[in-house]
Amino acid sequence: MIKILVALIVIGGFWAIGQSRNARVAARLSGLWRILDGLQTMESEIRGICAPLPVAFEAAGRHSPLFQAAARYCDEESGEAAFCHAVAEGALEKPETEILHSFAAGLSAEEEMGQLRNIQHCHQRLSALCARLEKEAARMDKLYSSSGILAGILVVILLF
């Protein structure tokens, strides 16, 4: 009876490890969706009331801490440098970082239309990345869960 209980605990533990990997992928996607929402808010602020970057960053900060940090840094730095600084302190993966750094480089555009095109371009690239990550997450969800259970079964077989 104790062996069965230990076996179930081991299998459950390995299954939980697989689920924690799934949770990390889901958190990454959630962060990207918040950045996309912030970009839409930023676009609305610039298009609607011709808001300067610090104001647009503050409005977008309601959606993502990345924009909140950029708004804080705008007091001391240019919009481009502030956003790069915010990206550097964020816990982002390499593809997101590259996209956001190219976005930051376009923030130096003086005219409103240049900034709007830059926001739209960044939004498109991040949306494509999110779509790819969602497909990968769906595929990896089954893999992580199954491999966790199988690893647990293997350990149980080796133990007994």
Side-chain angles (χ1 to χ4, degrees), residues 8 32 41 46-47 53 57 59 61 69 78 87-88 103 136 138 146 159:
L8 289 175
L32 285 175
T41 300
I46 291 172
R47 186 182 307 271
L53 278 178
F57 282 150
S78 68
V87 168
F103 169 70
E136 183 181 327
S146 299
L159 284 177

Side-chain angles (χ1 to χ4, degrees), residues 10-111:
V10 168
I11 291 171
F14 276 92
W15 176 81
I17 290 170
Q19 292 303 308
S20 71
R21 302 254 329 178
N22 288 334
R24 276 189 259 152
V25 172
R28 181 179 175 197
L29 272 170
S30 175
L32 285 175
W33 285 117
R34 287 194 305 266
I35 291 171
L36 285 169
D37 289 343
L39 284 171
Q40 285 180 326
T41 300
M42 217 173 135
E43 180 180 3
S44 297
E45 289 289 317
I46 291 172
R47 186 182 307 271
I49 60 172
C50 298
L53 278 178
V55 174
F57 282 150
E58 274 186 47
R62 293 183 301 230
H63 301 285
S64 173
L66 177 72
F67 294 105
Q68 290 173 351
R72 276 195 320 271
Y73 295 130
C74 265
D75 294 338
E76 304 128 18
E77 305 170 342
S78 68
E80 178 181 350
F83 197 76
C84 282
H85 197 151
V87 168
E89 82 174 22
L92 300 169
E93 301 280 331
K94 186 177 180 182
E96 296 94 324
T97 303
E98 290 174 356
I99 293 170
L100 293 172
H101 277 296
S102 68
F103 169 70
L107 287 175
S108 60
E110 292 296 321
E111 77 279 353

